[in-house]
Amino acid sequence: MELAELAAHEIHCLLKKKEVSVVEVVDAVLTRIDEVDDNIGAFITVNGEGAQREALRIDQEISRGREILPLTGIPVAIKDLICIKGMKTTCASRILNNFYSPYDATVIEKLREAGTIFIGKTNMDEFAMGSSTENSCFGITRNPLNPDTVPGGSSGGSAAAVAAGEAIIALGSDTGGSIRQPAAFCGVVGLVPTYGLVSRFGLVAFASSLDQIGPITRDVRDCALLMNLICGYDPRDSTSAATNIPDYTDSLLNDVREVKIGIPKQYFGEEVDEEVAEAMREAMALFKRHGAKIENVSLPNTEYAIATYYLIATAEASSNLARYDGVGYGQREKSDNILEMYEKTREAGFGDEVKRRIMLGTYVLSAGYYETYYLKAQQARALIRDDFEKAFQKFDCLLAPVSPTTAFKVGEKTDDPLKMYLSDIFTIPVNLAGLPAISIPCGFNSLGSAIGLQLIAKPFNEEMLLRVAYTFEENTKMSR
Amino acid sequence: MYQTVIGLEVHAELSLDTKIFCGCSTKFGQEPNSQTCPICLGLPGALPVLNEEAVKYIIKIGLALGCRILPEARFDRKNYYYPDLPKNYQISQNYLPFAVDGYLELPPSQKKGTPIKVGIDNVHLEEDTGKNIHSESGGREGYSLVDFNRAGIPLVEIVTRPDMHSLEDTESFMVSLRNILLYLGVSNCKMEEGALRFEASVSIRPDEASSLNARVEIKNLNSFKSVLRSLQYEIERQRRLLSGGEIVSGETRLWDEKEGKTLTMRVKESSPDYRYFPEPDLPPVVIKPQWIKTIRAAMPELPAERLRRFVKKYHLPPYDAIILTSSKSLADFYEEVVEGFPDGKHVSNWIMGEVLEKLKERKIGIEESSLTPASLSELLNLIKCGTISGKMAREVFAEMFATGKGAGEIVKERGLAQISDTRKIKETIDLILKKNPAAISDFQTGKKKVIAYLTGQVMKETKGAANPQLVNELLQEALQQQ
């Protein structure tokens, strides 16, 4: 297999055995980017020279005795809403197309320290608002499995890069499914950690109470390795959780005996593609064969999730995106008076979907509607959280499809926002409840599109997710 | 006769070394934008982290104003667009502030019998904004510049109930509140640096029984004087309107300091909707009762308590005590002088007389003068043991005040020490009597007035250094013996 298609832990072995150098790994990935990215469009910025320089430096340090940690020298792609010092952070928005971050996000500091190589910044839906990576001012990203289809979104660039060998591992962010859904569409592994487990410092906010950074990788082991690096309390993020971080590779056990898996019936309605549903049933059968206990469970408030999400997320977004006004940084449209400057800047700077959500969020928070919409949504959010809490009194994890369908065609849903929103119907409740969930490849449909299996656990039980996912992966070898 | 109804919103910068949500310095008067970071500049991805000292300060203020401290406080975003607001929302508190339902009792005045309590609606914490610099005030022509050094400086906002009914009440409230903040050490209250700012709301009504009329809010008030002047202007404007049968509409008006008038800023219908909602980047702050207890135990003595203590401990008339405790630095000064000269009333007389007079002349506060408490108590001691006369003391004091020198030093330099040595005075008296035989016979014939003349001669001979009372006594003695 080609170097650019290996998993990080495989490359790590080669580096350890000195069979390859970091420079060779980076060159292999950059070559792949050269070959395919014109078609895929996974990157907004390719950090070619920077990555090569860094690779050389790390090789030299290794020759002087630097320890090769599990992800040392591994090319990582970063979603373009995570700040890297000195690099552009655009959020795929025209309004930030000239913004160079003067600081590193906490996760970037951690990756830097471990010696990973930042290969580039990946494409996404503008400000993470979308489910197909079609809302980017830099153009769309295509699904490497089938270029006529979308890679999912909003972390579509990161998922496509990992799937196409344009990066070995990647970071995405997940507000309503933005890691899991593209991972599912591109046939890779994606995990959204418990809210608060990974610092949001340096992650450009879409909806602060929902956003989480997480890994997108080729297999479950890489996912655990990346989790080992990025998790942990950060005093710079007040919503960060002060909790002990285990070694997640300890959870990579091919063993689900006595694990109680709940099947939420609300996630298997008629909107689910038959082939997707069939893949889920096969997964249940596999777990059963390996000793897991499978039972149905009800999450009765699931039906309110989409409405709740679009009230809370847009409310927060309308405020979070207010800062892009052309005053201090970013794109500015000139005008003689300040009000007009704001209007022109934001009119020209934001795309349609972003504008739509800012307007909705502004409305939700307006005097007279705050109680009706925002507070009501918070109450619904509490109910949704309660549903899960009750389920986890009985179950170790829940199993569901990531999305009702597989990757849809480019352009298929761009004219129908509501249809697009429904793509996240099974991922959104997890964010509302702040839970961890993983998306793993679970076969292909008859057209060759990837199907994603979602596992959901209670807060801070990523270990359970990794264990169950690893068991599935070991017994199907379906990743990649 | 109309009744005036006034409420205030007071903003005070907390005297903390670092900003409320980041580690940037709060030092005043630095190079523009030199004290900023991704957080206070509101850069993409930056997050706020609450400065816990600010919470301690706010609880202190809440307790000093008799407020209830809520068990859980929360921050909210106040959304509005303005170039000096980096995120275009201000992190403030709307739904669950730190302290609610308090009051401030105005110190008793001579005019009014019953003390006035001004209700405090709430005390909350928020971040300050930056500062716009327009070309007319030093910016570049055709541009406005923004200095974000002030953005994120911790601010306390104290919101009163509309319980003030005159300019006197309002002034007394502002002075007392400032005093409390200074006593607590939570703000330097320097109005010239914008550390204390006000917004007033005012309405008038035919009498106490009538329902409240629409209130007018006045913004841009940066000193006690501008608050009082703008209120005066506004009360008169409203009175004129009402007397003319017109209606006062609820609106926000801007005080123009130069023109001395208020101007319409926005009418009520166009008042902004701030779309407050809970700040998702900051978890609620849980205030444990034990914490409140600890803070309460460490609270300094407040002006009202100190006033009571001054009356009791130093046997001062309430009038003296009110004036002495009206400023923390003056009260501190007083107590330090009393330490070196334990006659409370005597010290009070000096401070209320000589000291305040000089301060008034120079238009400064005691903390700005070079006069030290130690030198004043030294001076009072010199008077008491007769080294200098009361008259000399005033001269010495003038020099102390002007130069900051010690009393003893000045007396020594000028050779002002009073002669209280009986032998030396007797010698001088003998000399004078020898020179004035006529005076002796005058005395013997009953012309007692001659004593004054002779005393004067002795004083002249000693260049004023003799203790005049002693001279007088010894002269009488000597004359009897002739």
Side-chain angles (χ1 to χ4, degrees):
Chain A
M1 201 183 267
E2 279 189 51
L3 205 46
E5 285 169 12
L6 297 178
H9 57 88
E10 291 164 334
I11 294 174
H12 174 70
C13 290
L14 299 177
L15 286 171
K16 276 260 197 190
K17 287 189 275 185
K18 308 226 179 294
E19 286 180 18
V20 295
S21 66
V22 176
V23 168
E24 286 170 305
V25 175
V26 166
D27 280 346
V29 169
L30 288 174
T31 305
R32 178 62 65 92
I33 293 173
D34 263 356
E35 288 164 4
V36 306
D37 209 52
D38 281 349
N39 290 325
I40 305 293
F43 287 91
I44 290 173
T45 303
V46 176
N47 181 35
E49 277 178 37
Q52 283 172 321
R53 224 176 13 248
E54 192 63 9
L56 193 64
R57 193 177 67 84
I58 288 179
D59 274 337
Q60 284 165 350
E61 284 182 14
I62 288 173
S63 69
R64 284 198 297 269
R66 173 174 181 158
E67 191 189 352
I68 307 173
L69 298 169
L71 296 178
T72 302
I74 301 298
V76 55
I78 306 293
K79 187 177 182 180
D80 206 19
L81 48 36
I82 299 172
C83 292
I84 301 182
K85 192 175 174 174
M87 266 197 227
K88 258 202 239 184
T89 298
T90 69
C91 301
S93 181
R94 194 171 173 271
I95 211 158
L96 283 179
N97 76 43
N98 60 0
F99 177 71
Y100 287 80
S101 173
Y103 74 101
D104 274 341
T106 297
V107 289
I108 295 302
E109 278 181 1
K110 290 178 176 216
L111 291 180
R112 210 186 271 290
E113 201 180 325
T116 63
I117 311 282
F118 302 119
I119 204 79
K121 305 289 296 282
T122 55
N123 200 13
M124 53 186 279
D125 286 297
E126 185 179 3
F127 286 105
M129 297 177 184
S131 311
S132 65
T133 316
E134 290 168 296
N135 303 328
S136 163
C137 79
F138 298 102
I140 65 165
T141 298
R142 290 177 183 276
N143 191 324
L145 298 177
N146 176 358
D148 290 338
T149 63
V150 299
S154 64
S155 311
S158 284
V162 172
E166 298 180 85
I168 307 300
I169 54 176
L171 286 185
S173 70
D174 194 314
T175 307
S178 281
I179 286 174
R180 290 159 289 159
Q181 187 253 25
F185 281 16
C186 293
V188 293
V189 175
L191 188 150
V192 57
T194 309
Y195 184 80
L197 189 61
V198 179
S199 168
R200 291 187 296 117
F201 186 80
L203 166 71
V204 180
F206 156 19
S208 314
S209 75
L210 299 158
D211 298 340
Q212 266 295 279
I213 293 174
I216 295 177
T217 58
R218 298 216 173 112
D219 65 15
V220 178
R221 181 173 295 277
D222 276 7
C223 180
L225 290 170
L226 196 42
M227 284 291 284
N228 276 351
L229 268 193
I230 62 174
C231 294
Y233 173 71
D234 180 9
R236 289 181 293 188
D237 174 1
S238 309
T239 61
S240 165
T243 177
N244 284 328
I245 306 302
D247 180 345
Y248 289 109
T249 60
D250 290 347
S251 308
L252 303 174
L253 304 170
N254 183 355
D255 176 10
V256 287
R257 279 172 299 170
E258 301 302 314
V259 172
K260 291 184 222 100
I261 301 176
I263 310 297
K265 66 175 183 195
Q266 287 79 3
Y267 288 58
F268 290 86
E270 56 187 21
E271 67 274 32
V272 180
D273 272 5
E274 181 44 37
E275 287 185 282
V276 172
E278 179 54 29
M280 296 302 119
R281 284 192 290 271
E282 280 171 23
M284 289 176 221
L286 184 147
F287 285 125
K288 217 167 190 170
R289 281 202 303 281
H290 287 84
K293 296 213 169 359
I294 312 272
E295 250 179 76
N296 286 330
V297 62
S298 178
L299 302 171
N301 293 294
T302 303
E303 61 174 309
Y304 304 117
I306 292 249
T308 302
Y309 175 85
Y310 278 95
L311 294 175
I312 292 172
T314 58
E316 291 180 8
S318 71
S319 172
N320 282 331
L321 272 62
R323 69 187 67 191
Y324 309 113
D325 59 4
V327 173
Y329 51 84
Q331 190 77 26
R332 175 194 294 182
E333 300 299 320
K334 289 206 170 112
S335 171
D336 290 341
N337 77 75
I338 185 78
L339 198 64
E340 202 179 274
M341 190 275 270
Y342 286 153
E343 285 171 0
K344 282 185 169 176
T345 296
R346 291 167 67 81
E347 165 65 33
F350 291 133
D352 286 347
E353 182 60 26
V354 172
K355 284 179 193 156
R356 196 153 34 233
R357 296 199 196 190
I358 289 174
M359 282 189 276
L360 180 55
T362 305
Y363 182 77
V364 166
L365 292 176
S366 296
Y369 299 104
Y370 177 80
E371 289 78 10
T372 325
Y373 294 122
Y374 185 82
L375 285 187
K376 207 50 152 192
Q378 291 295 359
Q379 288 163 354
R381 185 177 187 173
L383 292 177
I384 290 163
R385 197 179 283 141
D386 287 350
D387 279 358
F388 280 111
E389 215 171 286
K390 272 187 211 125
F392 287 122
Q393 283 168 7
K394 200 169 165 200
F395 295 99
D396 297 308
C397 71
L398 307 178
L399 183 156
V402 175
S403 187
T405 69
T406 55
F408 43 88
K409 287 241 159 50
V410 171
E412 188 183 326
K413 297 186 181 180
T414 42
D415 294 333
D416 191 346
L418 283 180
K419 221 165 153 193
M420 188 76 91
Y421 295 172
L422 289 174
S423 179
D424 297 328
I425 188 166
F426 303 143
T427 46
I428 276 172
V430 167
N431 301 82
L432 287 171
L435 304 174
I438 194 168
S439 164
I440 51 174
C442 166
F444 299 89
N445 69 5
S446 49
L447 297 169
S449 289
I451 297 169
L453 167 74
Q454 178 173 221
L455 298 164
I456 306 164
K458 67 180 175 195
F460 304 108
N461 201 1
E462 279 75 3
E463 290 160 286
M464 177 58 66
L465 295 180
L466 291 167
R467 176 180 162 193
V468 177
Y470 185 76
T471 303
F472 187 79
E473 186 181 74
E474 281 295 290
N475 292 289
T476 55
K477 292 289 177 197
M478 263 198 268
S479 291
R480 279 181 274 160
Chain B
M1 189 58 195
Y2 288 104
Q3 193 202 25
T4 306
V5 182
I6 299 168
L8 286 177
E9 285 177 22
V10 185
H11 283 97
E13 285 185 351
L14 298 180
S15 45
L16 289 165
D17 294 338
T18 56
K19 292 186 179 179
I20 182 169
F21 298 124
C22 64
C24 288
S25 163
T26 56
K27 208 165 163 211
F28 181 78
Q30 302 300 296
E31 185 73 13
N33 295 311
S34 62
Q35 303 187 139
T36 58
C37 73
I39 298 167
C40 57
L41 288 176
L43 293 192
L47 295 172
V49 175
L50 178 61
N51 181 339
E52 270 198 34
E53 280 297 300
V55 178
K56 227 182 262 177
Y57 276 31
I58 208 99
I59 292 175
K60 267 191 202 172
I61 297 167
L63 291 175
L65 295 174
C67 291
R68 197 153 52 80
I69 308 296
L70 295 186
E72 189 177 293
R74 212 174 54 190
F75 288 94
D76 301 297
R77 290 188 185 176
K78 179 179 183 179
N79 295 286
Y80 66 96
Y81 282 82
Y82 208 62
D84 67 7
L85 189 61
K87 304 182 291 292
N88 283 328
Y89 60 80
Q90 180 191 30
I91 304 179
S92 179
Q93 298 186 286
N94 183 53
Y95 296 107
L96 293 173
F98 281 102
V100 297
D101 294 336
Y103 66 91
L104 195 162
E105 190 175 322
L106 303 183
S109 76
Q110 297 197 308
K111 284 185 216 154
K112 285 183 183 153
T114 47
I116 295 166
K117 273 186 176 184
V118 176
I120 303 293
D121 183 83
N122 78 81
V123 176
H124 67 260
L125 190 55
E126 61 188 26
E127 57 181 339
D128 207 346
T129 62
K131 230 176 182 169
N132 292 339
I133 301 162
H134 304 295
S135 48
E136 63 266 30
S137 59
R140 261 190 297 162
E141 193 56 44
Y143 288 86
S144 287
L145 303 174
V146 195
D147 177 5
F148 289 115
N149 280 353
R150 204 181 66 178
I153 286 188
L155 274 187
V156 56
E157 179 171 342
I158 298 155
V159 182
T160 78
R161 301 227 163 88
D163 292 345
M164 287 160 278
H165 299 294
S166 64
L167 296 185
E168 292 76 52
D169 289 354
T170 311
E171 180 169 26
S172 173
F173 175 83
M174 292 190 294
V175 169
S176 303
L177 181 65
R178 177 173 181 269
N179 217 358
I180 287 172
L181 297 177
L182 289 173
Y183 266 72
L184 292 172
V186 295
S187 172
N188 67 26
C189 296
K190 286 186 183 166
M191 287 183 269
E192 65 279 13
E193 293 182 5
L196 195 60
R197 314 194 285 265
F198 307 87
E199 284 171 34
S201 65
V202 56
S203 64
I204 59 175
R205 54 180 168 181
D207 54 67
E208 241 173 279
S210 326
S211 59
L212 285 171
N213 276 318
R215 65 198 181 126
V216 168
E217 286 181 41
I218 316 169
K219 285 182 182 283
N220 193 33
L221 305 173
N222 300 320
S223 66
F224 291 171
K225 216 176 90 190
S226 51
V227 172
L228 299 172
R229 281 179 67 203
S230 69
L231 282 173
Q232 175 84 52
Y233 176 90
E234 192 53 33
I235 292 165
E236 270 164 33
R237 190 186 69 90
Q238 292 186 16
R239 194 171 294 175
R240 245 190 341 266
L241 284 173
L242 290 183
S243 321
E246 287 183 71
I247 293 170
V248 177
S249 51
E251 59 177 334
T252 301
R253 296 176 72 89
L254 211 59
W255 171 244
D256 185 329
E257 184 79 45
K258 265 190 217 142
E259 296 291 318
K261 56 182 173 188
T262 63
L263 301 163
T264 297
M265 183 177 155
R266 56 177 177 248
V267 293
K268 209 178 174 199
E269 292 71 38
S270 66
S271 73
D273 175 0
Y274 292 120
R275 304 190 308 279
Y276 281 105
F277 76 104
E279 165 57 280
D281 287 329
L282 292 167
V285 185
V286 177
I287 310 290
K288 297 203 175 87
Q290 186 54 44
W291 205 32
I292 301 176
K293 240 180 168 173
T294 313
I295 293 173
R296 198 190 289 277
M299 291 269 281
E301 185 185 40
L302 294 169
E305 295 162 43
R306 200 170 200 186
L307 193 156
R308 282 193 289 273
R309 183 168 62 82
F310 271 28
V311 171
K312 216 171 144 198
K313 183 171 173 189
Y314 303 118
H315 309 291
L316 294 180
Y319 178 74
D320 288 29
I322 289 169
I323 291 184
L324 291 174
T325 56
S326 68
S327 122
K328 180 175 189 294
S329 37
L330 192 65
D332 290 345
F333 186 89
Y334 171 80
E335 293 213 276
E336 279 180 62
V337 177
V338 172
E339 243 171 62
F341 188 82
D343 178 344
K345 179 58 185 154
H346 200 77
V347 173
S348 169
N349 289 348
W350 261 85
I351 292 182
M352 308 242 307
E354 304 291 327
V355 177
L356 286 183
E357 190 182 308
K358 280 269 185 291
L359 291 174
K360 221 173 176 179
E361 253 170 47
R362 301 265 298 271
K363 288 183 179 145
I364 55 172
I366 187 76
E367 65 282 358
E368 294 157 279
S369 86
S370 46
L371 185 67
T372 67
S375 70
L376 183 57
S377 58
E378 188 186 5
L379 181 73
L380 297 182
N381 275 313
L382 287 174
I383 302 169
K384 194 185 177 194
C385 56
T387 310
I388 53 173
S389 67
K391 195 174 154 235
M392 282 180 208
R394 264 179 274 281
E395 280 171 43
V396 174
F397 176 76
E399 191 173 337
M400 278 161 55
F401 195 90
T403 64
K405 278 187 195 166
E409 197 185 344
I410 295 167
V411 168
K412 211 170 166 189
E413 270 176 19
R414 295 220 207 158
L416 284 178
Q418 191 165 244
I419 299 166
S420 300
D421 180 339
T422 319
R423 202 166 57 91
K424 206 166 173 189
I425 295 176
K426 273 185 178 163
E427 278 172 22
T428 317
I429 288 174
D430 286 347
L431 189 77
I432 297 297
L433 290 182
K434 263 179 207 153
K435 280 187 189 166
N436 296 283
I440 299 172
S441 46
D442 280 355
F443 180 78
Q444 282 161 347
T445 57
K447 289 181 182 165
K448 305 285 181 201
K449 270 186 185 168
V450 78
I451 290 180
Y453 166 75
L454 290 170
T455 305
Q457 292 301 303
V458 174
M459 294 305 289
K460 201 175 163 190
E461 183 66 29
T462 59
K463 295 188 178 86
N467 181 335
Q469 217 176 329
L470 200 58
V471 171
N472 192 289
E473 278 168 30
L474 292 172
L475 249 176
Q476 299 234 23
E477 231 172 73
L479 287 169
Q480 305 289 296
Q481 283 165 12
Q482 292 290 328

